[in-house]
Amino acid sequence: MSCAFYYWNYGYACRKTGKNVDEDTYGKYCRGYDYDDCPIFKGNSSSEGCFLTSACTEARNLPDDCRELTTLRHFRDTYLKARENGESDIAEYYAKAPLIVAKIKEQENSKAIFESFYTELVEPCIKYINANEPEAAYRHYADYFKMLKEKYGV
């Protein structure tokens, strides 16, 4: 089973804080998929803190369970998670994406920025994934994420 908010690190650990959590916390909030009540991720199952989700939901008015996000989440939970350093890549995204999103939301043209993420990041990654080119999708994502971290100073 895969969880968007916790991962295995010699015990269950929170992707947002990197700190271990007890079995009860993991069981309630992850295994039970009770994200809306999770004290760490409350409200994070939608676009808050995730620039990929923001690109889809805010710029394109797509639902949180749209084809694009479902495809990207499956890619994260299968290919990326199984990749060497995949867990740390995922943890870094959950740690830094909210900082990037917060800085973008301070700008007047935030919707246009999220729209550019959709066309420059989401669409190409989806094309690579659908063409069964997962490494190309990963490389595109990794390069774009690196650019965003540098641009927004996170």
Side-chain angles (χ1 to χ4, degrees), residues 2 4-5 11 22 31 33 35 42 48 58 66-68 72 74 89 103 105-107 109 119 126-127 136 146 152:
S2 177
F5 300 134
D22 60 43
R31 192 170 295 135
Y33 295 98
Y35 301 140
K42 193 166 189 142
E48 186 157 337
E58 292 187 27
C66 66
R67 175 188 54 83
E68 294 89 339
L72 291 169
H74 182 262
D89 288 345
K103 289 185 179 205
K105 286 186 175 184
E106 292 173 355
Q107 300 180 39
N109 64 338
T119 59
I126 296 295
K127 285 180 184 176
K146 180 181 178 189
Y152 294 101

Side-chain angles (χ1 to χ4, degrees), residues 35-145:
Y35 301 140
D36 290 337
D37 292 331
C38 178
I40 299 168
F41 285 97
K42 193 166 189 142
N44 218 21
S45 60
S46 66
S47 66
E48 186 157 337
C50 175
F51 59 77
L52 290 169
T53 306
S54 297
C56 294
T57 61
E58 292 187 27
R60 291 289 174 104
N61 295 317
L62 298 171
D64 189 58
D65 63 349
C66 66
R67 175 188 54 83
E68 294 89 339
L69 291 174
T70 301
T71 299
L72 291 169
R73 289 174 181 138
H74 182 262
F75 178 75
R76 174 199 63 207
D77 294 343
T78 57
Y79 179 79
L80 184 55
K81 193 171 190 178
R83 201 172 185 285
E84 185 177 348
N85 299 319
E87 292 283 355
S88 63
D89 288 345
I90 293 167
E92 181 183 29
Y93 179 83
Y94 280 103
K96 296 191 176 181
L99 303 173
I100 293 169
V101 168
K103 289 185 179 205
I104 292 167
K105 286 186 175 184
E106 292 173 355
Q107 300 180 39
E108 287 183 30
N109 64 338
S110 62
K111 187 171 179 173
I113 295 169
F114 290 130
E115 173 67 31
S116 71
F117 291 177
Y118 186 87
T119 59
E120 297 169 4
L121 179 60
V122 173
E123 285 181 335
C125 284
I126 296 295
K127 285 180 184 176
Y128 286 129
I129 293 166
N130 288 338
N132 199 26
E133 298 179 39
E135 187 60 23
Y138 172 76
R139 284 276 36 105
H140 186 75
Y141 154 79
D143 292 344
Y144 201 92
F145 188 36

